[in-house]
Amino acid sequence: MSSLRNHRVIIASLFLPTTAVIGESSPPTPEIYAREVGATAATQDLGGRPPAFRHTPSQSLSSTPAPLKSIVDDLKSRAISPITTPPSELNPFSKFASLASSPAVKGSISPSSIQSIDASLAKFQPDAVHTIRLQRRSSSKPPRYPSLARSYTYPSAPSEPYYFAPNIHCNGGLKNAVDSVKDRMTSKLWVGTLGSSTDAYSTELKASVDHRMKEMHSSLPVWIPDAELESSYDEFCHQVLWPCLHYAVPDAPKTKLFFESAAFKQYAAVNKRFADAIESVWTEGDVVWINDYHLMLLPLLLRQSTRVPALACAPIGFFMHVAFPSSEIFRCLSVREHLLRGMLGADLVGFQTASYARHFRQTVSRILAVEALPKGIQVEYGIPGGAREGHGRFVDVGVFPMGIDVGALRERRREPDVSYWVQLLRQRYAGMMIVVGRDKLDEIQGVRHKLEAFELFLKKWPEYQGKVLLLQVALQTTESNELAAGGVSDVVARINRAFSTLTYQPVVFLHTQEVTFSQYLALLTIADAFLVTSLREGMALRTHEFVECQDGRHRPLILSEFTGSYSYSGFRSCIAVNPYDTHGTAKAIHQALTMSDEEALSRWEDLHNHVVTQTAQTFVTSFLTRCLRANTEHITQTDLNSVPALNTTLLLPRYKHSPRRILLLDFEGTLWRPDMSRAGLLAPFVPPEGAVELLNKFSANKRNEVWLLSGLPIKSLEQVAAKAPGVGIVAENGCFARIPVQNGKGGVWISMVANLNLTWKGLCVEILNYFTERTPGSFVEEREASIVWRFWTGPTDDCSDRQWARRQAAEAQNHIFDSLGERYGLRIIPGSNSFLVLPNNISRSTAVGAILHPGGPAHSPRSSSMPDLDVPVNGGGAEAGFVFAVGGDEKLLRRLNELDNAETVSTRGKGTDAKWKLDAGDVGDVMWLFANCP
């Protein structure tokens, strides 16, 4: 994270964390606030809140949120009861009046709170059948854009006030994560919209808001016409992208709107306005972090900027906060290619889970017909106008699970207000078990499934009737939701009608705008179980909050297996449910409520370990650090012209006067160019005479220690060893090493994989045989500790058959990586016509690390495994006066660059980190110049 101190992070999100509200703040602010002078005093007079600013009158929308109600008021005044005329003296909430005077809590309750409780009790009518009211806003499912067609005209006045307030539409998880690293992210700039109608804002008002937002909140508003943003957000994001990303492709009559949405033009226009805004403030060194599906076109728009050409090489990261579906779902979109290419403009594309990242790679491979590898996407087109134009580029794809700010949550839990509500709720529900839920009221969150499972639980285990209640906190949502349609409200009414008594109501429904965060934390603290039944969701951060709040009780978590959180091993200790299985979910509720304290503690410890390690800070730092590293790797390997050609005049004297020299020479592609046709690959291996003669010439000099680095199997390289016994050999890309014969000793093969599990080979061959049957001309090479699949052996032109073979290769790599990679620790090395599968910690670089290490196999023939290979190359390498490496393995060349006495030469003809470059056709002549030196 220290590297981020040198960079400003531009965070692009559709909604800013802070918005501007027209009108006076409450309490009333001073009439005029036009200058900086006196700002501190004025702010202090308002209890730390900035006063309103006044400007030329203009028409604008203003909607100040209503003050939050007490959760107690809500429990008393909004409870659903099917009973028509119960006696008022048996009001189940009457205890709250006496709690105010209880000695245990008397000191915590203010007189105004007592009056509020008494007033609510007086207004409560137990014989009224209350209906659930639903607000129109959701922080997860895209809410309908707020009242864009309406505006309020303010009376003529010499000035117009406004003030800043938290934006309820912003991505709260992202904002909290960024705030958690504010001490390390020293410079940032939010870019987004205010989340309200702005057409009526005057030019002067917009300029003032721009200035104040940047100065006070490090934010840059993007001014978008209301109709344009409404069409983009309400129609394309809400009715097209959101259903697609969450496996909810609609049926008729919405099918035509979904597949033929004309709002994509507005969506593209919104993305273009964001690009223009970022271009206006971007400077060299800034990192651009683009968030969520609202801005999928933005990365490529920035890359193609003609206004700021330097953006072509800027570090750009894109993070998808929601799910990403399989290719069979995403391919239904008519604009699928535009969206995918837009995302691929980034250096790094991040997702919440490995499955979402896999779906993205497969979707890109199948729709764009490009090579999708386990670590990213090989894009054939370069950055227009950039160093990579015409040469292709690589886009990293990574997994970065979001978390919570554990430290901040602990601070909030220690506040007296939380303790007060914990005590109050415990007294209110003494002797009861509480199942808590908190969800958005849309079809994706599965609230109806949760209620039906709870209903079945009460039916199957009637002994819990009157003893267990479900307390559901509902987040605001749109008017087109299942509750308004009767789905949830009908189930709630049915449950309460069937199981309620004079003193018991099984389902209590609250709305999040009427529950303060302190009250919510109190609910999580007293809960006997937390229930999440989402049908599709990313990281359910509310489950993280529950786990942290349960540090004293350790009650279990019931979690849908369709959430991103469940995909992580730490959350496998929850009680997993399939929300579509009502019986299974009901059984899980019973299991949670009857679980022993010992089992609950064991499960909670596993959950808590994940929560405290995968935090908000980890999410931000890992994503931005990876983005910077990816950009650096891409940029530094782009311009081959910046690498000087090998200067033999400079290096030959050093070579000649060095008392000890270590030569590390690649075999294939450097000393020997094999026949890559099918016939040549299947023909028996014959050692090239010219290469063998050169190796013998080098090894005949006692000052030289020569190592041949190859990917060929031991069986083939034994022939080279027989003709050049004084040469050390690395086989199968580091799986085996043969010590050179010196003074009659050596010549033995040492396995670098002796302690590794190689049972994966059979499974891998089985997978590759499946793809071989479907790819004409392909075949599998099974070696001692690695496997090669030759998926193309025909002409090198980019014909349709080769394109098909490359797509099959990408599919095969993804399948192997997903099914075997994590389980067995494998890595895949792709090539233009083949790919190699081998153990993850094995490479030519690690083999050379062992060779140069004083305790490695080159110095200790009895060693059967490698020493610590991740340490910097030194030891034996430092003892040599001259280390000369020639080849195309970038990882090895970068590692050897750590040595002051090493000279690295790349022969692959592409961007490189090597100190020198050399055409592959000139290798023989240049090597003979060195070999002929004494």
Side-chain angles (χ1 to χ4, degrees):
M1 189 68 179
S2 60
S3 61
L4 291 178
R5 298 183 187 276
N6 303 321
H7 299 270
R8 181 178 66 166
V9 181
I10 299 177
I11 308 168
S13 183
L14 186 63
F15 297 116
L16 292 172
T18 305
T19 187
V21 181
I22 300 299
E24 291 278 3
S25 60
S26 178
T29 59
E31 185 173 341
I32 300 294
Y33 187 81
R35 291 178 174 81
E36 294 295 328
V37 180
T40 303
T43 302
Q44 291 174 347
D45 292 340
L46 296 174
R49 180 178 57 258
F53 308 112
R54 293 178 177 270
H55 292 277
T56 304
S58 63
Q59 293 182 343
S60 176
L61 277 179
S62 174
S63 57
T64 304
L68 294 177
K69 293 182 179 180
S70 162
I71 189 174
V72 182
D73 295 338
D74 194 84
L75 288 173
K76 295 189 298 294
S77 63
R78 292 171 54 83
I80 302 174
S81 176
I83 305 173
T84 56
T85 56
S88 59
E89 64 270 15
L90 294 180
N91 178 359
F93 302 101
S94 60
K95 292 183 180 180
F96 281 109
S98 61
L99 285 177
S101 58
S102 171
V105 297
K106 185 174 182 180
S108 303
I109 306 180
S110 64
S112 60
S113 299
I114 299 176
Q115 294 173 4
S116 175
I117 294 174
D118 291 340
S120 298
L121 284 171
K123 295 178 182 178
F124 177 70
Q125 299 294 333
D127 59 340
V129 180
H130 296 272
T131 58
I132 301 178
R133 294 181 289 107
L134 181 67
Q135 304 301 318
R136 301 182 55 220
R137 184 61 60 180
S138 169
S139 60
S140 174
K141 183 173 180 177
R144 189 166 183 81
Y145 196 68
S147 306
L148 291 177
R150 301 174 54 203
S151 64
Y152 296 102
T153 303
Y154 287 83
S156 297
S159 58
E160 182 175 319
Y162 70 89
Y163 64 96
F164 294 132
N167 194 338
I168 63 173
H169 313 312
C170 79
N171 186 326
L174 174 64
K175 176 186 179 300
N176 293 337
V178 171
D179 289 345
S180 70
V181 295
K182 59 185 177 182
D183 58 329
R184 288 174 283 179
M185 187 188 295
T186 56
S187 180
K188 66 177 181 292
L189 178 67
W190 290 89
V191 178
T193 67
L194 297 179
S196 61
S197 175
T198 59
D199 276 358
Y201 280 37
S202 64
T203 303
E204 295 79 5
L205 181 57
K206 290 181 179 180
S208 176
V209 171
D210 282 341
H211 174 71
R212 297 293 182 181
M213 287 287 280
K214 184 176 182 180
E215 182 182 75
M216 300 175 61
H217 299 284
S218 301
S219 299
L220 174 66
V222 180
W223 303 100
I224 301 176
D226 293 346
E228 185 176 289
L229 183 56
E230 180 178 14
S231 178
S232 170
Y233 189 59
D234 271 359
E235 295 179 26
F236 191 76
C237 292
H238 186 181
Q239 301 180 42
V240 178
L241 277 182
W242 174 266
C244 174
L245 296 173
H246 290 82
Y247 292 81
V249 177
D251 297 326
K254 293 184 177 180
T255 303
K256 184 175 182 180
L257 176 63
F258 179 83
F259 293 107
E260 302 178 9
S261 175
F264 180 71
K265 293 181 180 179
Q266 285 71 37
Y267 179 83
V270 168
N271 278 253
K272 183 63 171 65
R273 290 183 185 274
F274 267 80
D276 293 341
I278 294 174
E279 289 173 358
S280 67
V281 296
W282 184 87
T283 58
E284 194 73 31
D286 287 350
V287 180
V288 182
W289 183 5
I290 303 168
N291 290 275
D292 231 355
Y293 61 97
H294 315 99
L295 303 173
M296 294 172 71
L297 303 179
L298 184 53
L300 187 59
L301 290 174
L302 293 176
R303 292 292 187 206
Q304 296 175 335
S305 172
T306 56
R307 178 181 174 187
V308 186
L311 274 167
C313 296
I316 299 176
F318 178 90
F319 187 78
M320 181 70 79
H321 289 262
V322 297
F324 196 91
S326 68
S327 60
E328 296 303 316
I329 300 294
F330 196 87
R331 70 191 303 180
C332 297
L333 294 174
S334 60
V335 292
R336 58 194 186 183
E337 293 192 20
H338 298 282
L339 297 173
L340 293 176
R341 293 188 186 278
M343 295 173 67
L344 292 177
D347 292 295
L348 171 65
V349 179
F351 296 91
Q352 297 274 18
T353 71
S355 61
Y356 300 158
R358 181 178 69 251
H359 291 162
F360 176 73
R361 294 196 309 266
Q362 293 173 343
T363 300
V364 170
S365 173
R366 293 169 180 172
I367 293 178
L368 300 183
V370 298
E371 189 175 10
L373 307 176
K375 291 186 177 181
I377 309 295
Q378 183 63 52
V379 183
E380 295 179 347
Y381 52 89
I383 299 175
R388 279 175 276 185
E389 184 174 11
H391 300 289
R393 52 191 294 267
F394 190 82
V395 179
D396 283 25
V397 177
V399 178
F400 308 91
M402 287 191 72
I404 62 173
D405 187 350
V406 178
L409 184 62
R410 289 174 179 172
E411 289 293 328
R412 290 297 302 270
R413 290 187 63 218
R414 285 194 284 265
E415 293 179 358
D417 200 31
V418 177
S419 302
Y420 160 67
W421 284 109
V422 167
Q423 190 172 16
L424 189 63
L425 289 170
R426 281 176 176 169
Q427 294 187 45
R428 167 63 184 88
Y429 295 113
M432 298 282 291
M433 286 184 283
I434 303 176
V435 178
V436 175
R438 177 179 176 268
D439 303 276
K440 296 87 177 176
L441 287 177
D442 59 56
E443 64 276 8
I444 301 299
Q445 297 299 315
V447 177
R448 181 175 58 83
H449 299 74
K450 177 189 300 187
L451 293 168
E452 291 176 346
F454 183 70
E455 179 184 27
L456 182 60
F457 161 75
L458 294 177
K459 290 179 179 178
K460 292 186 64 175
W461 288 276
E463 64 272 19
Y464 286 97
Q465 296 177 16
K467 300 179 180 179
V468 178
L469 65 86
L470 172 63
L471 205 159
Q472 177 67 43
V473 179
L475 275 69
Q476 302 164 332
T477 183
T478 67
E479 76 283 355
S480 57
N481 61 81
E482 58 179 344
L483 181 61
V488 169
S489 59
D490 290 346
V491 178
V492 171
R494 184 175 71 236
I495 296 173
N496 284 341
R497 186 181 306 113
F499 302 104
S500 289
T501 66
L502 297 179
T503 58
Y504 169 68
Q505 177 180 303
V507 178
V508 177
F509 224 86
L510 305 176
H511 290 276
T512 186
Q513 72 270 21
E514 299 167 332
V515 180
T516 67
F517 192 63
S518 297
Q519 295 164 351
Y520 171 62
L521 293 181
L523 286 175
L524 297 183
T525 303
I526 68 166
D528 294 281
F530 193 81
L531 179 57
V532 177
T533 54
S534 302
L535 307 183
R536 190 72 56 177
E537 188 176 1
M539 296 299 292
L541 297 185
R542 59 194 183 280
T543 62
H544 297 227
E545 295 167 343
F546 168 74
V547 171
E548 179 58 31
C549 288
Q550 285 287 315
D551 60 350
R553 302 189 66 231
H554 315 130
R555 298 316 301 165
L557 168 67
I558 308 172
L559 183 63
S560 167
E561 62 188 41
F562 295 107
T563 62
S565 298
Y566 180 69
S567 64
Y568 290 92
S569 57
F571 268 78
R572 297 297 171 86
S573 293
C574 67
I575 302 176
V577 295
N578 177 358
Y580 297 100
D581 179 7
T582 305
H583 289 267
T585 306
K587 183 179 179 181
I589 296 174
H590 180 264
Q591 179 186 351
L593 297 179
T594 58
M595 183 176 294
S596 67
D597 292 341
E598 293 77 12
E599 181 183 353
L601 175 60
S602 176
R603 289 173 177 265
W604 179 86
E605 287 176 344
D606 292 339
L607 295 169
H608 192 250
N609 286 336
H610 176 91
V611 171
V612 298
T613 55
Q614 193 56 59
T615 62
Q617 292 89 339
T618 303
F619 163 69
V620 175
T621 55
S622 60
F623 181 84
L624 293 178
T625 302
R626 173 80 174 272
C627 181
L628 282 171
R629 185 173 69 247
N631 177 261
T632 301
E633 292 175 353
H634 301 164
I635 296 302
T636 55
Q637 294 185 10
T638 56
D639 191 3
L640 186 62
N641 295 327
S642 63
V643 181
L646 180 63
N647 189 336
T648 55
T649 304
L650 179 64
L651 295 188
L652 278 173
R654 285 190 55 200
Y655 174 85
K656 182 177 181 180
H657 296 97
S658 296
R660 181 169 179 254
R661 305 173 291 223
I662 297 179
L663 307 178
L664 305 167
L665 309 176
D666 270 5
F667 191 31
E668 303 96 314
T670 301
L671 297 184
W672 170 55
R673 303 188 67 81
D675 182 2
M676 300 305 295
S677 67
R678 181 178 179 85
L681 292 170
L682 294 176
F685 172 75
V686 177
E689 293 297 330
V692 172
E693 182 181 359
L694 177 64
L695 292 171
N696 281 325
K697 181 67 174 180
F698 272 124
S699 61
N701 191 320
K702 294 183 178 181
R703 290 192 288 168
N704 291 340
E705 181 178 338
V706 186
W707 286 86
L708 183 68
L709 312 180
S710 174
L712 295 177
I714 293 178
K715 181 179 180 181
S716 299
L717 294 174
E718 281 282 15
Q719 302 179 51
V720 177
K723 296 185 176 183
V727 176
I729 300 176
V730 173
E732 293 194 31
N733 292 285
C735 294
F736 302 93
R738 179 186 180 276
I739 299 175
V741 176
Q742 295 179 356
N743 301 323
K745 298 180 180 180
V748 297
W749 287 96
I750 296 175
S751 174
M752 305 291 186
V753 295
N755 298 326
L756 300 181
N757 181 4
L758 298 179
T759 57
W760 58 269
K761 290 177 54 186
L763 300 172
C764 184
V765 170
E766 185 177 345
I767 293 173
L768 290 176
N769 285 337
Y770 169 85
F771 284 95
T772 298
E773 294 175 358
R774 289 154 179 79
T775 310
S778 64
F779 63 93
V780 180
E781 289 183 17
E782 184 176 1
R783 299 173 178 176
E784 292 290 331
S786 60
I787 296 174
V788 177
W789 189 44
R790 308 281 183 183
F791 57 83
W792 181 252
T793 56
T796 56
D797 60 316
D798 198 20
C799 59
S800 59
D801 287 343
R802 190 184 185 196
Q803 291 179 0
W804 168 257
R806 291 179 61 185
R807 292 184 61 183
Q808 291 294 98
E811 290 283 339
Q813 291 178 62
N814 284 322
H815 193 72
I816 293 170
F817 186 81
D818 295 334
S819 59
L820 304 177
E822 183 177 356
R823 180 180 177 187
Y824 292 98
L826 305 179
R827 72 187 186 103
I828 301 174
I829 302 176
S832 57
N833 297 314
S834 63
F835 66 79
L836 170 70
V837 185
L838 75 168
N840 193 33
N841 295 323
I842 301 298
S843 68
R844 299 187 189 192
S845 175
T846 57
V848 169
I851 291 169
L852 299 183
H853 196 279
H859 303 273
S860 179
R862 291 170 300 197
S863 174
S864 61
S865 62
M866 292 184 290
D868 184 1
L869 302 177
D870 293 327
V871 298
V873 179
N874 49 29
E879 296 173 1
F882 189 78
V883 177
F884 194 37
V886 183
D889 191 315
E890 282 298 311
K891 185 177 181 181
L892 171 62
L893 297 178
R894 283 195 296 268
R895 185 170 190 174
L896 290 174
N897 283 338
E898 299 173 7
L899 291 174
D900 294 334
N901 57 347
E903 298 294 339
T904 54
V905 184
S906 174
T907 60
R908 66 177 194 154
K910 299 180 180 180
T912 179
D913 287 331
K915 298 178 181 179
W916 308 95
K917 64 182 177 183
L918 179 63
D919 291 336
D922 298 333
V923 171
D925 295 337
V926 173
M927 289 298 99
W928 274 108
L929 290 176
F930 285 89
N932 289 326
C933 283

